Amino acid sequence: IPEGWRIGQTADYLAAADVFSDTVEGVSPEAERYEALALQGAAAPEFANYSFVQQAPPGASLEGYLYPDTYALPATGTQATDLLARQLDTFAGRVVPLYDSAVLSGTTDLTLHEVMTLASIVEREAVVAEERPAIAGVYLNRIRADMALNADPTVQYAMGYQPEANQWWKTPVTLEEYGAVDSPYNTYLYSGLPPGPIASPGLRSIEAVLGPEQHDYLYFVAMPDGSGRHVFATTFEEHQANVAAYMGQ
């Protein structure tokens, strides 16, 4: 299960790959159960023993908490809870100690839910691994300045699955479309973090949020050379100049 996937996207994959060996005509009851339980979050009794799930805001799903990794499952008879438990156990073993250490050392004042929310945005934004701390730093600077995050992936998350294009993350998407998406996940319309994670971030994105690059940047724009790299700016005027320079190429 790759980093940056959302619950519904993972459930679709589980059905398509017949992971639970129950798929008939593209429909897998266990994959549907996987999605339903993940969306229930703390409300599902199956997750009562996971303290980090129980401490999430009321109504929160497991979005962001299902650790992306490669998992070994039984060849037959696998149930949705088998995979969910493995993902949550891995999260408990790899992410929770990392977060607890950051809290104890005073390197973050964010809640775990806030860390996972921001890390999921960094996961969807960053292409080049070494830029993750810089991108995390931009968003944290924006939050401190009470600015809108203006993060494209949060709007894509709010837009949901696009059946016409068979896309979970609508691409391309325009600024004009953003204005029509009235959702708390639309960080062009609402300042601060969205209500929760938009995908499952990998460890590097989580580490970037817990140890962000210290800088004064408030903006960044992707370079048009296909490298996945970004150009960062401190002021809006600098950002506009970067957009004009790079978008004109």
Side-chain angles (χ1 to χ4, degrees):
I1 299 173
E3 294 89 345
W5 277 14
R6 55 198 289 170
I7 289 172
Q9 190 174 5
T10 301
D12 273 4
Y13 162 74
L14 297 174
D18 197 17
V19 169
F20 300 117
S21 303
D22 67 345
T23 303
V24 178
E25 296 183 355
V27 177
S28 165
E30 278 301 308
E32 292 179 346
R33 183 166 176 253
Y34 173 96
E35 182 173 10
L37 286 171
L39 291 175
Q40 284 185 52
E46 288 84 351
F47 311 129
N49 293 329
Y50 294 98
S51 59
F52 58 88
V53 173
Q54 300 302 317
Q55 291 166 9
S61 71
L62 297 185
E63 194 80 86
Y65 295 90
L66 297 173
Y67 194 83
D69 205 346
T70 299
Y71 293 95
L73 297 168
T76 59
T78 303
Q79 297 183 341
T81 49
D82 295 329
L83 177 54
L84 288 165
R86 282 166 169 78
Q87 289 183 279
L88 292 173
D89 288 344
T90 304
F91 184 96
R94 296 186 185 177
V95 179
V96 173
L98 191 68
Y99 172 73
D100 289 344
S101 177
V103 171
L104 286 174
S105 65
T107 57
T108 186
D109 59 359
L110 300 175
T111 67
L112 178 60
H113 194 70
E114 291 170 335
V115 168
M116 299 312 299
T117 300
L118 183 51
S120 71
I121 298 174
V122 172
E123 185 66 53
R124 293 298 310 178
E125 284 279 18
V127 177
V128 179
E130 56 263 31
E131 285 191 353
R132 295 173 194 270
I135 291 174
V138 169
Y139 287 131
L140 287 166
N141 287 345
R142 282 180 159 257
I143 290 171
R144 295 187 190 101
D146 197 26
M147 296 173 62
L149 295 187
N150 288 359
D152 294 359
T154 65
V155 189
Q156 292 172 309
Y157 182 80
M159 295 176 81
Y161 177 67
Q162 303 293 303
E164 301 83 4
N166 190 28
Q167 290 180 329
W168 275 103
W169 305 91
K170 189 178 187 303
T171 305
V173 63
T174 65
L175 287 174
E176 289 72 19
E177 289 179 282
Y178 290 175
V181 182
D182 189 4
S183 165
Y185 283 91
N186 186 342
T187 56
Y188 279 82
L189 297 180
Y190 298 92
S191 62
L193 288 169
I198 60 171
S200 292
L203 203 60
R204 289 179 298 178
S205 293
I206 298 168
E207 290 172 337
V209 173
L210 293 175
E213 187 175 307
Q214 301 299 314
H215 54 58
D216 296 325
Y217 296 137
L218 290 170
Y219 306 91
F220 61 90
V221 61
M223 297 180 68
D225 58 3
S227 67
R229 294 186 177 277
H230 296 83
V231 179
F232 296 82
T234 301
T235 68
F236 185 62
E237 291 72 24
E238 291 173 354
H239 176 63
Q240 285 182 308
N242 288 337
V243 171
Y246 288 99
M247 294 301 100
Q249 293 184 10

